[in-house]
Amino acid sequence: MYDFLIAPFVEFGFMQRALAGSLMLSLGACPVGVFLMLRRMSLTGDAMAHAILPGAAVGFYMFGLQILPMTIGGLIAGVVVALGAGVVSRFTIQKEDASMAAFYLVSLALGVLMVSIKGSSVDLMHVLFGTVLALNNEALTLIAMICGTTLLTLAIFWRAIIAECLDPLFLRSVSHLGTPVHFIFLSLVVLNLVGGFQALGTLLSVGLMILPAAAARFWTARVERMCALAILIGFASCIAGLLISYHQSLPSGPAIILSAGAVYFFSTIFGTRGVFNTRLRQHRHRTA
């Protein structure tokens, strides 16, 4: 048992860094994923994950596979896409989901094209799917800063974010924080996707944000408990994924996301608000 569960994290530095980075990502991204899900913006998170690609590609084009330039580029691209889609939806007849889809499709194609021109297929796979087992101290520092910023921002704007999530019209009617909180929240989404990009790539980073949150939704209806449970599911998925990757020689990023997916499917069936218990309550109600 020790050799299977603990030894890989004790004996190898790259496993320790991968564990630290993925746990910090879960700590910051999973609560953000809860609010994305409650706002029915889960697919928006996926779109934003693709939207950071051209900015990261610009950083890669100019400086190669260096963390800081790719991160800054991805952050700028994500903010530009989020603001651009927001402006289009607010000042035209097009809804936000359609404008976001248009922006992210263009961004994804542009980013893939730029990486393909500059680098090889290996570089493209690195950008799209990440390398959590190759995290260095610089990447861990960046992820830690993003995690700390996210938790601090959520603590400061907690009530406003919940109000804007559940009833944005009410918040705008009683406070001027409605629009600023919306863009603060979108900034947190972009920030955590950029952090996840270092470990999981643009195509998988949103998975660690959404899947634990979606799984937690089947166990509780309270936002605080949902966030805490999502973080715990994220922790468990990262540990399980890294162990599966190590022992079975599988890609670490997909292993983490598939572990979270397994918890999600289990929760849909056996969660207190899942299929089995819902049907059981309905049966008891009919026979009562």
Side-chain angles (χ1 to χ4, degrees):
M1 187 65 69
Y2 172 84
D3 291 338
F4 184 83
L5 296 177
I6 300 175
F9 299 115
V10 173
E11 298 176 1
F12 300 101
F14 70 90
M15 288 292 288
Q16 296 171 6
R17 288 189 293 272
L19 180 63
S22 57
L23 292 183
M24 286 189 292
L25 285 174
S26 298
L27 187 60
C30 290
V32 175
V34 168
F35 289 109
L36 265 179
M37 178 190 60
L38 293 177
R39 293 163 63 100
R40 299 181 181 179
M41 293 176 60
S42 299
L43 291 179
T44 299
D46 184 55
M48 294 305 303
H50 294 79
I52 68 175
L53 183 56
V58 171
F60 170 76
Y61 193 85
M62 297 177 64
F63 299 97
L65 291 172
Q66 295 188 28
I67 292 175
L68 189 59
M70 293 178 68
T71 299
I72 294 175
L75 184 61
I76 293 173
V79 171
V80 169
V81 169
L83 292 178
V87 169
V88 170
S89 65
R90 287 178 182 270
F91 294 100
T92 69
I93 61 172
Q94 195 168 62
K95 300 297 183 181
E96 188 172 23
D97 60 337
S99 60
M100 184 68 72
F103 272 83
Y104 105 76
L105 288 170
V106 173
S107 298
L108 178 62
L110 181 61
V112 170
L113 182 63
M114 293 180 65
V115 175
S116 300
I117 292 175
K118 171 66 176 181
S120 64
S121 60
V122 175
D123 295 324
L124 181 60
M125 294 294 289
H126 171 87
V127 173
L128 293 179
F129 297 104
T131 50
V132 66
L133 295 181
L135 291 177
N136 54 27
N137 293 333
E138 184 182 6
L140 290 178
T141 301
L142 176 66
I143 293 172
M145 292 173 61
I146 291 174
C147 177
T149 301
T150 300
L151 295 178
L152 180 61
T153 305
L154 287 176
I156 294 174
F157 295 100
W158 179 261
R159 293 176 63 86
I161 290 177
I162 291 179
E164 207 273 336
C165 171
L166 300 178
D167 196 343
L169 294 179
F170 171 77
L171 179 63
R172 293 173 188 173
S173 66
V174 300
S175 172
H176 297 294
L177 289 176
T179 299
V181 165
H182 178 72
F183 285 106
I184 287 172
F185 176 71
L186 287 180
S187 299
L188 288 181
V189 174
V190 173
L191 199 61
N192 280 274
L193 289 174
V194 168
F197 157 76
Q198 302 298 334
L200 301 173
T202 59
L203 297 185
L204 295 179
S205 58
V206 70
L208 191 59
M209 182 179 290
I210 296 299
L211 284 172
R217 186 71 174 87
F218 289 104
W219 296 96
T220 180
R222 295 184 60 86
V223 177
E224 296 86 354
R225 295 177 183 175
M226 205 179 301
C227 289
L229 183 56
I231 291 172
L232 292 178
I233 293 174
F235 284 176
S237 301
C238 291
I239 294 172
L242 289 174
L243 288 174
I244 292 172
S245 172
Y246 174 80
H247 290 292
Q248 302 298 325
S249 299
L250 297 174
S252 52
I256 291 174
I257 302 305
L258 286 176
S259 298
V263 177
Y264 169 77
F265 286 117
F266 177 85
S267 301
T268 61
I269 299 173
F270 298 106
T272 56
R273 301 162 63 86
V275 174
F276 179 78
N277 283 290
T278 299
R279 294 297 299 272
L280 183 62
R281 285 192 296 268
Q282 290 175 349
H283 175 72
R284 289 175 177 175
H285 178 74
R286 287 194 299 265
T287 57

